[in-house]
Amino acid sequence: KRKLRVLSGVQPTGSLHLGNYFGAIRNWVLTQHQYESFFCVVDMHAITMPYKAKELSEVTYKTAALYLAAGIDANTSKVFVQSHVKEHAELTWLLNCITPMNWLERMIQYKEKARKQGENVGVGLFDYPVLMAADVLLYQTDVVPVGEDQKQHIELARDIARRFNDQFAKRARPRVLREPNPLIQKDGARLMSLEDGTSKMSKSAESDFSRINLDDDPKLIEKKIKRCKTDSLKGLTYDDPNRPEVRNLLTIYQLCTGKSKEEVIAECADMNFGTFKPLLTDAIIEHLSPIQKTYNELILDRAYLDEVLTKGAAEAREVAAATVSEVKKYMGF
Ligand code: ADP
Ligand code: NA
């Protein structure tokens, strides 16, 4: 019996942050051996918003190095860069031609990003979810571990797969395109901005003080935690609707220490930010320290990274090319 397949990716649009880590990458690491795993750096997604061409390749290397430093095992998982496997672009076009516009118009992330872009919204940004569907469907993926924010995109990928199968390959068994399932981790599924506690912690948020990056040094982590939204009230709880920032920081503390929610509730019930912030700072620094040590070595070894990514792309392409060839056959090419 074949192992279930997992695929996930992060855009090389900036340093990875704690949201990417606890919402995605850490779960990849924990489950990678249970599945046949595909982890890509989605550079073609990264160019759907304004970006610096000079930095794209550097950030792509950094992202791949952080995957490995966080514990992705390149011997068993396929680690690769999306643009190295041309089938991602090819399947996107084929799927574009069977995807109704109004399915994309409903996408929340598109609406949020488009609002910020004003008149300069590119076709690529609109089409982002179809590229993501292609990423997933190319590998006959069973499971996609993502943050809460990506759930709608996985549902769209399912809809597109079903539409293709019904329209072009009604009788084919197994179905030509497999419908993927999202795997959403409850704890840390969505970390929020350090500055307001209500918007998503994101690489694309303007302020660097809204997030902790995985490669922030201890001094910077301390500075960011000192700066994040604070009051002087006593008693830190998860469920104060007027202080969403408290829940967010307690969640980060819980994730970094590995304590249970109950333990954190008991520990912090009588604290204020003055006593809590140093604890939180230390917990983050300690959790990130081994990852940063490995990352700092890997990022200097381009030959090794190239070797890993070349091997990963070749392995990925084998599967991807077979899917595209099937799809084209059924579409009449
Ligand atoms: P970003 O929004 O920071 O650019 P991506 O869109 O590249 O991140 O998402 C990469 C992965 O990280 C996805 O699986 C996404 O669900 C997850 N992720 C991104 N931001 C967060 C967050 N604030 N909390 C939890 N998971 C997140
Ligand atoms: Na994003």
Side-chain angles (χ1 to χ4, degrees):
K1 191 167 151 255
R2 124 195 202 290
K3 267 192 185 178
L4 292 182
R5 282 206 183 126
V6 139
L7 174 131
S8 205
V10 175
Q11 305 181 69
T13 44
S15 288
L16 300 187
H17 51 74
L18 286 180
N20 299 135
Y21 179 68
F22 285 117
I25 295 167
R26 193 186 58 147
N27 304 324
W28 307 355
V29 172
L30 294 175
T31 58
Q32 62 183 327
H33 297 293
Q34 205 173 306
Y35 298 105
E36 183 180 358
S37 303
F38 294 75
F39 299 120
C40 52
V41 179
V42 289
D43 54 349
M44 299 205 300
H45 282 283
I47 65 172
T48 59
M49 292 283 279
Y51 73 103
K52 297 195 178 78
K54 272 194 190 141
E55 292 171 10
L56 182 64
S57 150
E58 190 60 27
V59 183
T60 298
Y61 273 118
K62 276 183 147 187
T63 306
L66 278 170
Y67 286 5
L68 302 176
I72 298 295
D73 174 1
N75 290 316
T76 51
S77 298
K78 297 163 184 57
V79 179
F80 64 101
V81 177
Q82 183 186 34
S83 66
H84 296 179
V85 181
K86 290 194 277 295
E87 284 77 5
H88 288 259
E90 192 173 5
L91 186 60
T92 299
W93 182 255
L94 299 170
L95 298 179
N96 273 340
C97 297
I98 64 160
T99 305
M101 295 270 284
N102 66 50
W103 288 9
L104 300 184
E105 281 159 358
R106 288 201 292 264
M107 294 295 112
I108 292 161
Q109 195 173 75
Y110 168 72
K111 286 193 256 184
E112 280 172 3
K113 288 185 178 178
R115 201 179 315 123
K116 284 184 214 148
Q117 284 298 99
E119 307 232 302
N120 297 318
V121 177
V123 175
L125 184 64
F126 186 65
D127 203 28
Y128 179 114
V130 180
L131 177 59
M132 183 166 162
D135 299 340
V136 171
L137 300 178
L138 269 179
Y139 301 100
Q140 309 294 337
T141 305
D142 300 280
V143 177
V144 189
V146 286
E148 188 76 48
D149 59 315
Q150 294 297 326
K151 201 171 153 203
Q152 194 184 31
H153 288 161
I154 304 304
E155 275 156 19
L156 182 84
R158 293 174 63 85
D159 291 342
I160 292 175
R162 195 171 323 126
R163 191 175 172 94
F164 171 86
N165 290 332
D166 289 347
Q167 208 164 309
F168 291 100
K170 194 131 193 73
R171 277 182 293 276
R173 293 292 179 280
R175 316 283 345 234
V176 176
L177 294 178
R178 182 179 296 257
E179 290 181 31
N181 293 300
L183 179 70
I184 292 162
Q185 171 96 358
K186 277 282 157 280
D187 285 332
R190 198 170 157 86
L191 292 186
M192 307 313 258
S193 157
L194 300 177
E195 289 177 318
D196 58 26
T198 53
S199 61
K200 193 181 86 129
M201 185 183 287
S202 173
K203 288 186 241 93
S204 47
E206 229 157 89
S207 166
D208 197 43
F209 282 89
S210 66
R211 60 190 161 248
I212 303 279
N213 294 327
L214 299 189
D215 59 348
D216 284 347
D217 63 39
K219 277 248 145 18
L220 186 54
I221 293 173
E222 187 183 359
K223 201 164 150 195
K224 286 181 175 179
I225 295 300
K226 275 204 176 124
R227 270 242 214 143
C228 64
K229 191 177 176 190
T230 309
D231 54 47
S232 52
L233 300 179
K234 191 177 155 196
L236 300 177
T237 62
Y238 281 87
D239 46 17
D240 186 340
N242 298 318
R243 296 159 85 204
E245 63 280 5
V246 178
R247 157 194 282 277
N248 191 43
L249 295 183
L250 291 179
T251 302
I252 295 173
Y253 181 67
Q254 183 191 331
L255 291 165
C256 286
T257 56
K259 290 179 182 173
S260 70
K261 189 169 175 180
E262 291 66 35
E263 285 175 285
V264 174
I265 290 171
E267 185 181 355
C268 302
D270 296 323
M271 285 191 187
N272 59 25
F273 277 115
T275 42
F276 175 65
K277 281 188 170 185
L279 291 181
L280 175 62
T281 303
D282 287 346
I284 298 170
I285 291 171
E286 196 170 313
H287 193 89
L288 293 184
S289 143
I291 297 173
Q292 294 185 345
K293 186 170 172 291
T294 311
Y295 171 75
N296 290 332
E297 288 163 19
L298 283 171
I299 198 61
L300 297 174
D301 195 348
R302 290 304 152 99
Y304 175 72
L305 290 176
D306 281 332
E307 193 186 304
V308 166
L309 296 174
T310 304
K311 172 175 157 286
E315 292 168 341
R317 193 175 308 116
E318 243 178 72
V319 182
T323 301
V324 166
S325 135
E326 274 289 277
V327 166
K328 288 178 83 172
K329 188 183 84 187
Y330 280 100
M331 287 182 83
F333 285 87

